[in-house]
Amino acid sequence: MLIKKELQNLPLSPAPDPTKKIPLTAGAKIHQLPRCGRILALDVYQQRKLLFRFFSDGKNCITWSEHPGKPGWTKKNLFQFDGIKYQAISIRPCSVKRITHILKANPSSLNVLHQTEECVGEFIERFHKQKKERARDAKCRLMEQHLDMFPAYPDDLDEFCENHVFHRSIVYLSKLEKGKRWGRCMHCGREFLLDRSVKPGSEGTCPKCSFPVRFRGERATKPIVEKAKICIPSRVDGQLLLRYTDVRRVISPDEREPEFDYSDFFLNIVVEKAGRQKAYAYWWRSYPYYWSGWSRLKNGSGCYSYTYVYTENLTEVFGEQYCHVDLQAGLRDLLRPIDFAGILRNLQNIPQAEYLFKLGLPGLAAGLSLKESGAASFSELTGVSKQYLPILRETQAGKGEINLLAESQKWVPFEVFRELCALNLDITGLTTMQSIMEYNSLGRVLRYLQGQKKIKKTYANLLGLYRDYLDMARNLGCNLKKKAILEPRDLKAQHDLLAEQLAAHKTEKENLLLPHAIENGLYEWAQEYASEDYCVVYPQTKNDFINEGRILHHCVGNASYYDRHVLGRSMVFFIRRASQPEKPFFTTEIDMDAGRIKQLYGFSDCSAPKEVRGFVEGFVRAAMRWRNAERMAG
């Protein structure tokens, strides 16, 4: 045991006198202390000035640093000076024996000048290694204890997921015979007769159990696989356990009922000790072909995945009332996954969360932040009128969808908002929709895009296509007040047409940059430069760059070379044979500020021979003289 108060009172150990070659010295003594026991005190000096003191009882170690800026206790290895592992330290042999006796070290170095640091360094390394191993073992034991606390899945979890997580089932249809066909519902398991109006691919409800279903032919052999996430709370020995699980439902025509698979991906344990809560978090990590297993996260970490909530035991876990609300009643019929941990946290800390939860808006209650805790009304909390409350409660709309309501300058009918929520757009899709609403109303956008089903794209991609079309139309000065332009009959064709026009317009502007730069004096300094074998050609248009890159198969046709050339700082010149000045031969890029060759390449980026490089270097020197003379004349 090392007690700092006792260690501080130990006298310093004497050390040999320093020399010019060995300025570091050390002395060691063994002390018998009442509470610490047998202690090794090793004092290290530099030119007779104490650097630090090292104390050890053979099991633990600690160091007192005399650093002038910040003296104090540390567990770092101060024997490694400037990254040198074994620094020469002058010490008496008797002191080395004391060190090896207490630290149970056996130095391999025959030089006594290096034995001190070798013994202590190995002990410190061994000490920290053993400490890490003990901490890792304790961490693993604690994790095993926590994982064993979680009970088995509830017996009715399959039934709960079928009724409250997956909101639609499948009805398999037989072949049509005499205008009728048999249907078999995978939700209730019953069979019934249907007329010819019911076709595979359509949607409806089961005539026996009234559950929403999608009709599918029995000849389809591929199973239907759907996935969701669910949080299963429980309480064991007074501790709150939150189990986050991936749910996989498989519906196959060969089976009589759906099959469910469960796999945990996140675990939270809230432990109460001495009136204080401590939250442990474990995350299932999976590395294909390498390793899979549970990993402990930082205490207080939470799961950020939105999940459904198993509500059949919420009263047992949280009681009849949790922060003045009935969790079981409020979360039983969730239409969308929510942040369950966010609800528990906000109900404790934000009064407005209780208000929204009781209004039937648990999703909004979970997403509240402390910045919104000062809101005094429904409109301040949501940004919309309370007239929208019935449809918000019915659809359990999220914050992004409500923001679209707030952005809308006109009243949005309930059926329009219901259609929007049915799309289940992610944050990217909602942001795109919000930007589109600068041009068109929400209802008209939904109706228009529904009419563009012939475009084989997802709804999110269709939104992006429409937004790009509107932005291009505005940049080209089109009259977006006309319906034919605002809502074109063929969105894809009009989008591609405007893209071509915009590209041509941009190219036309870019092509004028070099002629304008030449008129403004880009080549005022330039003169003809040629030898018997080679000559220099100055590009005059953007097409010159494109043709040069296309014929020589290199990248000078890229826009970046053209843009830098127009600025006159990193310029491109064409090197041609004197006998064939029209035929591309080599291309060079020259830094006109530094007066050096940046690049010099021929066909397929081949290197230039010595005579070509020598010719170009002569041109660079001449170009710099011409530029300087032009500036002096100006």
Side-chain angles (χ1 to χ4, degrees):
M1 181 184 297
L2 300 178
I3 300 174
K4 296 177 181 178
K5 290 184 178 180
E6 282 193 334
L7 299 178
Q8 285 178 329
N9 297 325
L10 290 178
L12 295 174
S13 305
D17 294 332
T19 62
K20 291 183 179 180
K21 292 184 178 181
I22 307 175
L24 296 177
T25 59
K29 277 190 177 182
I30 297 177
H31 303 271
Q32 183 69 35
L33 300 179
R35 300 174 64 187
C36 295
R38 295 184 70 199
I39 295 296
L40 170 69
L42 174 60
D43 302 322
V44 180
Y45 303 85
Q46 185 174 28
Q47 298 295 345
R48 296 188 177 90
K49 183 179 180 181
L50 181 66
L51 280 181
F52 58 88
R53 307 190 72 188
F54 174 81
F55 303 97
S56 176
D57 59 356
K59 297 180 180 179
N60 303 297
C61 63
I62 194 169
T63 304
W64 172 268
S65 173
E66 284 287 344
H67 192 282
K70 191 178 180 181
W73 294 101
T74 180
K75 293 185 178 181
K76 294 182 180 179
N77 185 1
L78 299 184
F79 284 87
Q80 293 185 6
F81 303 98
D82 299 326
I84 302 174
K85 188 170 183 181
Y86 295 125
Q87 183 84 356
I89 300 177
S90 179
I91 190 171
R92 295 185 177 92
C94 60
S95 295
V96 175
K97 290 182 180 180
R98 294 167 186 149
I99 295 173
T100 56
H101 177 68
I102 294 295
L103 301 184
K104 298 178 176 61
N106 186 18
S108 58
S109 176
L110 298 177
N111 190 344
V112 71
L113 298 176
H114 299 295
Q115 290 181 354
T116 301
E117 187 177 0
E118 182 182 353
C119 294
V120 178
E122 289 179 357
F123 176 81
I124 293 176
E125 184 177 351
R126 185 171 68 252
F127 167 73
H128 286 301
K129 182 179 179 180
Q130 293 173 352
K131 185 178 179 181
K132 288 181 180 179
E133 290 177 352
R134 290 194 299 269
R136 184 172 61 250
D137 293 341
K139 186 178 179 180
C140 291
R141 288 194 299 270
L142 181 63
M143 182 174 68
E144 291 176 358
Q145 294 174 7
H146 286 165
L147 297 181
D148 292 339
M149 291 175 63
F150 282 85
Y153 294 117
D155 295 334
D156 62 344
L157 187 57
D158 289 358
E159 180 183 354
F160 179 84
C161 291
E162 176 67 19
N163 293 323
H164 300 286
V165 175
F166 301 99
H167 303 290
R168 181 179 296 169
S169 189
I170 298 292
V171 169
Y172 283 104
L173 301 175
S174 65
K175 292 182 180 180
L176 190 65
E177 296 180 1
K178 297 181 180 181
K180 293 188 177 182
R181 65 175 90 221
W182 283 96
R184 176 167 55 91
C185 179
M186 295 298 292
H187 181 72
C188 63
R190 288 185 280 185
E191 296 184 355
F192 38 83
L193 279 174
L194 297 169
D195 57 26
R196 67 170 59 246
S197 62
V198 180
K199 299 180 179 180
S202 61
E203 297 179 355
T205 57
C206 173
K208 296 295 183 180
C209 62
S210 301
F211 197 75
V213 295
R214 185 168 70 250
F215 297 99
R216 194 168 188 244
E218 280 188 339
R219 290 178 293 179
T221 58
K222 188 175 180 180
I224 301 295
V225 180
E226 297 175 297
K227 298 179 181 180
K229 298 180 185 294
I230 187 171
C231 178
I232 308 173
S234 57
R235 193 173 289 276
V236 177
D237 297 332
Q239 317 301 336
L240 176 62
L241 312 179
L242 298 181
R243 184 179 204 159
Y244 294 88
T245 305
D246 285 314
V247 185
R248 182 172 175 265
R249 184 180 74 165
V250 181
I251 298 179
S252 175
D254 300 331
E255 303 293 336
R256 301 298 301 179
E257 59 184 15
E259 295 181 353
F260 293 88
D261 293 328
Y262 305 99
S263 58
D264 300 334
F265 67 91
F266 199 95
L267 302 174
N268 264 140
I269 303 177
V270 182
V271 179
E272 293 188 7
K273 290 184 178 180
R276 299 181 63 182
Q277 289 187 346
K278 190 174 184 179
Y280 295 89
Y282 299 95
W283 171 38
W284 179 265
R285 291 187 177 183
S286 179
Y287 300 96
Y289 310 108
Y290 177 60
W291 175 81
S292 296
W294 289 104
S295 178
R296 179 175 166 181
L297 300 179
K298 184 180 179 180
N299 287 351
S301 300
C303 180
Y304 296 103
S305 296
Y306 280 45
T307 66
Y308 292 94
V309 182
Y310 178 75
T311 58
E312 301 305 296
N313 64 346
L314 287 184
T315 302
E316 301 173 8
V317 176
F318 297 98
E320 294 289 341
Q321 294 284 316
Y322 176 82
C323 296
H324 311 293
V325 302
D326 187 348
L327 287 177
Q328 184 160 341
L331 300 177
R332 183 173 180 80
D333 297 318
L334 282 179
L335 300 177
R336 297 178 170 191
I338 62 170
D339 180 7
F340 181 57
I343 283 186
L344 300 180
R345 181 178 60 253
N346 287 346
L347 287 175
Q348 290 180 341
N349 302 320
I350 304 177
Q352 288 79 357
E354 177 188 343
Y355 169 68
L356 291 176
F357 191 92
K358 290 181 177 179
L359 286 178
L361 304 174
L364 288 182
L368 282 180
S369 63
L370 291 175
K371 295 180 181 179
E372 299 168 307
S373 60
S377 65
F378 181 85
S379 297
E380 291 183 13
L381 276 172
T382 62
V384 300
S385 169
K386 202 171 184 178
Q387 293 174 305
Y388 285 110
L389 179 58
I391 190 63
L392 297 184
R393 183 184 293 134
E394 175 191 338
T395 59
Q396 296 181 9
K399 189 65 175 178
E401 291 153 339
I402 295 176
N403 287 340
L404 292 182
L405 283 183
E407 291 292 328
S408 180
Q409 299 179 356
K410 297 181 180 180
W411 170 263
V412 177
F414 284 3
E415 59 272 14
V416 172
F417 190 72
R418 192 179 292 114
E419 183 180 352
L420 171 68
C421 294
L423 296 175
N424 282 323
L425 296 176
D426 58 10
I427 185 63
T428 302
L430 292 171
T431 303
T432 305
M433 179 69 79
Q434 186 173 349
S435 63
I436 291 175
M437 288 173 59
E438 298 178 8
Y439 305 96
N440 208 349
S441 65
L442 178 61
R444 289 185 61 178
V445 171
L446 293 174
R447 286 194 300 271
Y448 173 67
L449 293 182
Q450 286 294 331
Q452 297 293 319
K453 291 182 179 179
K454 59 183 178 180
I455 302 178
K456 296 182 179 179
K457 289 182 177 291
T458 63
Y459 203 91
N461 291 337
L462 197 61
L463 279 172
L465 187 70
Y466 189 38
R467 194 265 310 275
D468 290 345
Y469 164 78
L470 294 174
D471 290 343
M472 289 189 296
R474 181 181 62 181
N475 292 335
L476 290 173
C478 299
N479 186 2
L480 290 172
K481 293 183 179 180
K482 291 184 177 181
K483 184 177 180 181
I485 297 177
L486 183 62
E487 300 175 2
R489 182 173 298 179
D490 191 336
L491 175 60
K492 182 67 168 60
Q494 290 298 314
H495 173 275
D496 295 344
L497 178 62
L498 289 189
E500 292 178 1
Q501 293 179 1
L502 195 62
H505 187 65
K506 181 180 179 181
T507 302
E508 182 180 355
K509 286 185 175 181
E510 290 179 348
N511 287 340
L512 295 176
L513 291 177
L514 184 54
H516 287 332
I518 294 174
E519 291 178 5
N520 294 330
L522 181 65
Y523 294 150
E524 279 187 357
W525 54 270
Q527 302 178 27
E528 290 186 6
Y529 188 85
S531 66
E532 294 182 0
D533 299 320
Y534 309 110
C535 64
V536 175
V537 174
Y538 300 90
Q540 302 295 315
T541 65
K542 185 177 181 180
N543 287 335
D544 293 342
F545 285 79
I546 297 174
N547 293 333
E548 185 84 359
R550 178 176 55 82
I551 295 174
L552 294 181
H553 289 198
H554 55 44
C555 57
V556 78
N558 292 349
S560 59
Y561 290 96
Y562 178 76
D563 295 338
R564 291 197 295 267
H565 180 86
V566 170
L567 296 176
R569 305 188 65 178
S570 185
M571 301 185 70
V572 174
F573 302 99
F574 305 150
I575 310 302
R576 305 285 171 81
R577 287 190 176 95
S579 59
Q580 296 176 315
E582 301 297 328
K583 183 179 179 180
F585 180 48
F586 274 88
T587 309
T588 183
E589 182 184 11
I590 298 175
D591 186 341
M592 301 302 292
D593 291 332
R596 63 180 182 86
I597 301 173
K598 294 179 66 176
Q599 298 185 77
L600 177 59
Y601 294 114
F603 184 80
S604 293
D605 288 334
C606 70
S607 300
K610 291 182 179 180
E611 56 272 15
V612 174
R613 177 166 289 276
F615 173 78
V616 176
E617 289 175 350
F619 169 70
V620 172
R621 291 191 293 269
M624 299 307 295
R625 288 197 305 270
W626 296 337
R627 279 170 60 94
N628 293 335
E630 183 70 24
R631 290 172 180 171
M632 292 294 293

